[in-house]
Amino acid sequence: MLDHLITHDDSLRMVPTDRNELTTAVGQLHEELRALPEGSDPARARVLTRWIGIGQMCLGNHEEARATLRQSLDLAAAIGNTRAVVATGLNLGDAHRYAGDVRTAAALYRSALNTARNQHPELVDFALQHTGKHLMERGDLEDAQAHLQEALRLWIAKEEAGLVESTQAALARVGAADRAGPR
């Protein structure tokens, strides 16, 4: 929905490709959300709140990102969409990580990874990659490397070239951080 307006910076965090365009697009999603009729399908509200939250996170609006992604996660749980619970939980984890709340981020990543392993094995690779990046930023390089290597094996098996490349970039950062040693 907003993928074309989001890229990754040198720290492998999501950032806007064009801040003004992303701001406009997020505003349009807000308008669509507000225009949903009372009693409409909550699945659409869930999708909209998820993308609004992702956009806000990329724009650095952490408080709004966390509130909106929490709303999306609650909607996913309420409608019983565990696949969306995993994906949105990872996004909410990112929003907390970007805001510096590593404890909440860790709990969200752990929950998403456990749910993926138990109910949605097709999402384990995403959960591993998000968790691996979190561990890398925390300085837990050994665990980060293990998570990212497992994600890489899964991406290779799925023949997901772009995701293989992004995971290799994360692994390279872990290796560079490990060679640099403790700060």
Side-chain angles (χ1 to χ4, degrees), residues 18-30:
D18 182 303
R19 186 171 189 78
N20 291 334
E21 282 188 44
L22 183 58
T23 300
T24 299
V26 169
Q28 290 168 342
L29 294 177
H30 269 293

Side-chain angles (χ1 to χ4, degrees), residues 120-139:
H120 294 283
E122 74 279 9
L123 298 177
V124 168
D125 38 22
F126 282 108
L128 286 164
Q129 186 162 359
H130 284 259
T131 305
K133 287 179 181 180
H134 166 70
L135 293 167
M136 175 182 63
E137 285 188 14
R138 280 192 26 216

Side-chain angles (χ1 to χ4, degrees), residues 2 21 40 43 56 62 71 81 99 109-110 139 148 153 155 166 172 182:
L2 298 175
E21 282 188 44
S40 63
Q56 291 294 359
H62 301 299
Q71 181 183 359
N81 185 340
Y109 293 132
R110 193 170 33 256
L148 292 167
R153 282 191 298 277
W155 294 132
S166 70

Side-chain angles (χ1 to χ4, degrees), residues 13-91:
R13 287 184 173 206
M14 292 185 290
V15 294
T17 56
D18 182 303
R19 186 171 189 78
N20 291 334
E21 282 188 44
L22 183 58
T23 300
T24 299
V26 169
Q28 290 168 342
L29 294 177
H30 269 293
E31 288 301 317
E32 185 179 342
L33 181 62
R34 282 191 284 274
L36 287 177
E38 187 71 31
S40 63
D41 182 8
R44 184 65 186 158
R46 181 201 61 78
V47 169
L48 291 170
T49 53
R50 178 173 180 236
W51 281 103
I52 290 166
I54 291 169
Q56 291 294 359
M57 176 180 59
C58 294
L59 291 166
N61 302 328
H62 301 299
E63 189 173 322
E64 184 171 346
R66 288 180 297 201
T68 308
L69 286 166
R70 171 53 63 190
Q71 181 183 359
S72 183
L73 183 60
D74 292 345
L75 284 166
I79 61 178
N81 185 340
T82 55
R83 193 173 198 288
V85 167
V86 171
T88 308
L90 293 170
N91 299 137

